[in-house]
Amino acid sequence: MAEESRQRRRARPVVAIDGPTGAGKTTVARALAAALGFTHVNTGAMYRAFALAAAMRYTEADLAKGALGARLGALLNSISITLDGPRVMLNGRDVTDAIAAPAIADLASRLSALPAVRERMREWQRAAGRDGGIVMEGRDIGTVIFPDAEYKFYLTARDEVRARRRFAELAARGSDLSFGEVLAQLRERDARDSARALAPLKPAPDAVIIDASDLTVTQVVALMRARVEQASRP
Ligand code: DC
């Protein structure tokens, strides 16, 4: 019955993919969306683009004080963040490379704990997925943004595996962080994202949990695709 009323409300399903940093959500979500003919929305990229806007507007000292709450809400309302395939635009400028920096990821994680920020993001993300036909990835998609998503996955992997992936990505971009530093940063960010009061990182009770430590991207996508296509059969 619940399934039927969902089908009536949305012509096409919402697929939610949540999980900690470096588990491969973006690669998998993009490939799954392409296979299903759905739109891919990377909500982490939205938080990162906002963090970049905040870093350009305020000093690190002001941001660290944590007293900018309302002003950050106003800043978020005054900027435009758009996703153009894999490219991320902030006020019409391509910031895809700039938001890959670890400092921006860290600031995104800190600012994402603020209620004004989460509220505005929630509105945007719900509007983007209203008609379904979307694969949305993040930390709270299956728990808060679309608790009624037709398909929910929680993608994780061992810390070392995730850090190795992040280390390789950063090294390719010319970073000189050591593996140990990348691992420590990843653990710190996950701990913060999991411990916050609002929309913490955790699997939805009805999410399918996938440990990708020993799986390839192709295998993970095939697992998800099989779930979605099997359930969609009459
Ligand atoms: O997925 P990512 O690593 O690009 O996300 C950057 C930060 O943004 C992450 O550490 C926490 C925050 N975030 C969030 O709070 N909720 C989401 N749905 C997505 C990201």
Side-chain angles (χ1 to χ4, degrees):
M1 186 60 196
E3 192 61 32
E4 275 172 24
S5 61
R6 265 206 299 258
Q7 299 298 339
R8 251 180 270 125
R9 259 186 322 113
R10 275 197 292 258
R12 298 198 300 162
V14 168
V15 181
I17 304 180
D18 291 304
T21 183
K25 292 190 299 295
T26 300
T27 312
V28 161
R30 189 170 295 144
L32 182 66
L36 296 171
F38 285 11
T39 305
H40 166 223
V41 173
N42 176 356
T43 62
M46 298 172 72
Y47 282 95
R48 284 172 184 250
F50 170 58
L52 181 66
M56 291 186 321
R57 176 73 62 91
Y58 298 108
T59 64
E60 176 56 33
D62 278 341
L63 289 165
K65 267 188 255 150
L68 292 168
R71 275 193 276 168
L72 287 171
L75 173 64
L76 184 52
N77 275 324
S78 73
I79 60 176
S80 115
I81 299 170
T82 45
L83 305 176
D84 180 9
R87 311 306 295 179
V88 185
M89 318 295 284
L90 170 64
N91 296 330
R93 196 182 117 219
D94 189 330
V95 294
T96 315
D97 292 329
I99 64 170
I104 294 299
D106 183 68
L107 185 59
S109 166
R110 286 189 279 138
L111 299 183
S112 69
L114 298 171
V117 174
R118 296 214 77 84
E119 266 166 42
R120 187 74 189 102
M121 290 289 188
R122 190 177 60 213
E123 281 172 34
W124 280 345
Q125 292 160 9
R126 284 198 179 147
R130 196 170 29 223
D131 297 331
I134 201 159
V135 177
M136 192 174 281
E137 53 152 314
R139 302 292 188 287
D140 61 339
I141 310 308
T143 50
V144 174
I145 305 299
F146 286 106
D148 64 345
E150 284 78 1
Y151 306 102
K152 297 183 187 180
F153 299 100
Y154 187 86
L155 186 64
T156 186
R158 290 189 298 276
D159 292 5
E160 286 74 11
V161 174
R162 296 188 291 116
R164 215 182 301 137
R165 166 200 293 272
R166 204 24 59 91
F167 176 68
E169 274 170 17
L170 291 171
R173 289 178 179 273
S175 147
D176 54 8
L177 287 176
S178 70
F179 175 76
E181 286 167 327
V182 172
L183 179 62
Q185 284 181 0
L186 176 138
R187 285 182 170 149
E188 188 188 329
R189 190 144 66 92
D190 284 346
R192 191 189 305 117
D193 293 344
S194 306
R196 69 180 175 223
L198 268 179
L201 166 66
K202 65 173 178 199
D206 51 346
V208 175
I209 297 179
I210 299 177
D211 185 328
S213 302
D214 302 309
L215 298 176
T216 63
V217 169
T218 311
Q219 287 171 320
V220 175
V221 174
L223 272 174
M224 292 180 171
R225 204 177 159 183
R227 283 252 163 193
V228 175
E229 288 176 346
Q230 192 182 32
S232 307
R233 259 183 234 132

